[in-house]
Amino acid sequence: MKKSRVPVMCANWKMYKNIEEALAFIDVVAPVAEQSDCEALIAVPFTAIRSCADRAQGTRIIIGAQNMNDATQGAFTGEISASMLKEAGATFVIVGHSERRRLFGETNSFIHKKVQRALDVGLRPILCIGESYEERENEATQTVLCTQLREGLVDVPKTAASQLMVAYEPNWAVGTGLPANPETVHQAIDDCRAFLGELWSSADAEKVTFLYGGSVDVQNAATFLQTPNIDGLLIGSVSLDPDSFAKIISLCQNVAAH
Ligand code: PGA
């Protein structure tokens, strides 16, 4: 089955890799990305953005960041702005990752301001949403996801739909080795797209790229990619290994050709 949106494979390195390791990774993955039909994104630590963006020039690898502040500038010790990321060479930014929500207390309204600021400066946001284990057990998944979308995207114009990526990452699947069932993900994304259709229009909702993330590995990636609603993957721990990430990227050729 050929999908209408370009597949996106995004590595999320979290707080791993120094510059030397990051550049060596790009050298391994770039030739594979060249042969693939996907966009190969890497969300690198802030310190590696400039070097990685330079090394990725002329390749199909796209460099981005894992977080940002919503303010343009100011007395916010330790924070970084969207325009600083852009200047360093980032073209996208992850916002609202479950680790940011859980460990750093990020709220939907703060995440919403980041989405808007990212779009303002021309960074593609990857808005992460996902329910906790308890919320799933209580059959609150759909309500939680729609609330995160509504509050995260309030006032975001529908013209931004093609720039927006949404990563569905159930909290209980991130970093646990327990991936969600592809059928469950399919259903959740269906519900999210329907919600965006009501918010904007179904044609605009169709422009949004939906990723799945949570314990993706080399073995299960193909099944996720063959699941109709999943446009791509957000990959944490397995993406630290260049050979594994390269293998996952190379699956995209097959998916696009079917
Ligand atoms: P994981 O992380 O692949 O290690 O589960 C996913 C993520 O944090 O985006």
Side-chain angles (χ1 to χ4, degrees), residues 12 14 97 99 169 173-175 214-216 234-237:
N12 174 14
K14 311 192 181 189
H97 189 277
E99 286 154 12
E169 297 206 305
V174 173
S215 300
V216 171
L234 181 54
I235 310 154
S237 53

Side-chain angles (χ1 to χ4, degrees), residues 13 16-27 48 52 240 242:
W13 283 351
Y16 291 100
K17 290 197 192 292
N18 62 27
I19 293 173
E20 193 185 336
E21 291 164 340
L23 297 180
F25 181 106
I26 290 173
D27 291 344
C52 287
L240 293 171

Side-chain angles (χ1 to χ4, degrees), residues 143-154:
T143 310
V144 170
L145 299 182
C146 290
T147 303
Q148 289 172 338
L149 284 177
R150 186 177 55 249
E151 295 183 2
L153 296 174
V154 63

Side-chain angles (χ1 to χ4, degrees), residues 95-185:
V95 293
H97 189 277
S98 59
E99 286 154 12
R100 302 285 328 163
R101 292 176 188 260
R102 185 167 49 85
L103 301 172
F104 301 96
E106 292 196 4
T107 60
N108 285 337
S109 71
F110 186 34
I111 291 161
H112 159 247
K113 289 191 228 158
K114 298 187 192 208
V115 170
Q116 278 198 317
R117 180 69 61 206
L119 289 167
D120 282 350
V121 306
L123 282 177
R124 288 188 77 182
I126 301 183
L127 170 62
C128 297
I129 59 172
E131 81 287 1
S132 67
Y133 182 74
E134 291 73 28
E135 288 161 342
R136 172 154 290 277
E137 286 290 287
N138 293 334
E139 298 184 359
T141 300
Q142 196 184 343
T143 310
V144 170
L145 299 182
C146 290
T147 303
Q148 289 172 338
L149 284 177
R150 186 177 55 249
E151 295 183 2
L153 296 174
V154 63
D155 293 339
V156 169
K158 57 187 182 183
T159 48
S162 60
Q163 290 306 299
L164 179 69
M165 294 181 263
V166 175
Y168 171 51
E169 297 206 305
N171 301 3
W172 45 269
V174 173
T176 58
L178 299 169
N181 177 317
E183 185 49 42
T184 307
V185 179

